[in-house]
Amino acid sequence: MTWRLRLGVNIDHVATIRNARGGAHPDPARAAAAAAAAGADGITIHLREDRRHIRDGDLDAIRTASSLPINLEMAATDEMTDIACRYRPHAACLVPEKREERTTEGGLDVAGLHNQISPIVRRLREAGARVSLFIEPDPVQIAVAEVMGAPVVELHTGKYAELWIEGGADAAAPELARLQAAAEDARKRGIEPHAGHGLTFENVGPVAAIPELAELNIGHFLIGEAIFIGFEAAIREIRRCMDEAREKASG
Ligand code: PXP
């Protein structure tokens, strides 16, 4: 069975550019409205502990700017859980977070951190959020996600994207196979698989063609490409790449 593939647009780096000057431009809330106009299915934001991009004051403005569901990425900490329980996003995606990293490196080790993460999953679910765990495409992590009662896992495509940069589709093929197997495994366990990190016009096709996936979350590339072709055009083009790959694979 093939599920409709949603596109979540991560607008964190609109805030990164705004913060570089300390003013109000470019406004991430305006980016949320533009993403909606360009056909995004959701808005993804990561409120980091150091507030390096999205800040607390952006949360309500982003929600007001569009009617799209919000996926709040967050570290598995009490502070972020308190914020998420007040904010009540459509989805809350638990991600690993280290201050010194430039971006989210590697998936959350839900197997190793089971005792820390389980109560947070419970609290978020009680607050009405659809909990997602950002994990490596690894059978052990998926099995633990099931035990924790997570309805969604987001499979980390960072390694796939890195291998693609090194050697194109051939180099990335083994990691693509891991993503495929993980997406199938998740579906068998009743978990909805999503994927994201490092996806571009060039490398998104093979991932989009995995029929079990329900959503891709894409940010940095789209914000970068916006410099050259515009934000809405970049979103429309990634959507086209995704749809083309799905159609080819199913047909
Ligand atoms: N999904 C998750 C959980 C992430 O942490 C990120 C990066 O913030 C993305 C998707 C999007 O990755 P990128 O910005 O490389 O497209």
Side-chain angles (χ1 to χ4, degrees):
M1 181 163 173
T2 301
W3 277 262
R4 185 183 123 68
L5 187 58
R6 294 189 303 269
L7 169 62
V9 174
N10 181 317
I11 57 171
D12 288 337
H13 295 301
V14 176
T16 307
I17 298 169
R18 174 197 62 189
N19 299 348
R21 274 292 172 97
H25 183 80
D27 180 1
R30 188 173 158 201
D41 299 292
I43 299 295
T44 294
I45 45 179
H46 182 178
L47 187 69
R48 290 186 74 105
E49 195 189 8
D50 60 8
R51 309 300 198 266
R52 73 171 72 151
H53 27 66
I54 296 298
R55 298 174 181 149
D56 303 64
D58 292 318
L59 295 177
D60 285 336
I62 288 168
R63 183 174 356 236
T64 308
S66 91
S67 57
L68 293 180
I70 291 179
N71 172 30
L72 179 69
E73 293 179 8
M74 51 178 276
T77 63
D78 289 340
E79 183 207 2
M80 286 303 150
T81 308
D82 289 345
I83 292 172
C85 288
R86 282 197 303 273
Y87 186 53
R88 294 175 167 266
H90 166 76
C93 179
L94 294 177
V95 302
E97 196 176 301
K98 291 189 226 109
R99 259 171 202 268
E100 64 277 12
E101 71 190 357
R102 262 194 250 167
T103 180
T104 315
E105 290 165 5
L108 187 64
D109 179 12
V110 292
L113 299 171
H114 179 278
N115 293 349
Q116 179 193 336
I117 292 169
S118 249
I120 293 180
V121 170
R122 209 172 314 122
R123 273 190 71 196
L124 291 169
R125 292 191 68 180
E126 282 165 9
R130 197 150 188 255
V131 178
S132 162
L133 302 174
F134 187 45
I135 57 172
E136 290 297 316
D138 175 316
V140 174
Q141 301 292 339
I142 296 169
V144 175
E146 183 187 9
V147 172
M148 283 184 187
V152 176
V153 291
E154 182 168 331
L155 304 173
H156 198 308
T157 52
K159 204 167 288 164
Y160 164 83
E162 267 170 38
L163 290 168
W164 189 289
I165 291 166
E166 281 168 26
D170 288 348
E175 191 60 20
L176 181 67
R178 284 213 318 145
L179 290 162
Q180 265 160 347
E184 267 175 48
D185 185 13
R187 282 289 179 191
K188 281 189 195 136
R189 294 173 184 277
I191 299 175
E192 184 174 284
H194 299 178
H197 204 90
L199 297 176
T200 67
F201 295 154
E202 205 190 9
N203 70 17
V204 76
V207 176
I210 299 174
E212 289 82 6
L213 288 178
E215 180 173 309
L216 300 183
N217 281 301
I218 309 181
H220 183 266
F221 176 78
L222 294 176
I223 308 297
E225 198 60 18
I227 295 168
F228 304 108
I229 65 169
F231 188 43
E232 293 191 30
I235 292 169
R236 290 205 173 91
E237 177 58 14
I238 202 96
R239 179 80 254 176
R240 194 196 61 74
C241 295
M242 288 162 55
D243 291 345
E244 184 182 77
R246 269 270 153 128
E247 271 162 37
K248 265 197 205 149
S250 66

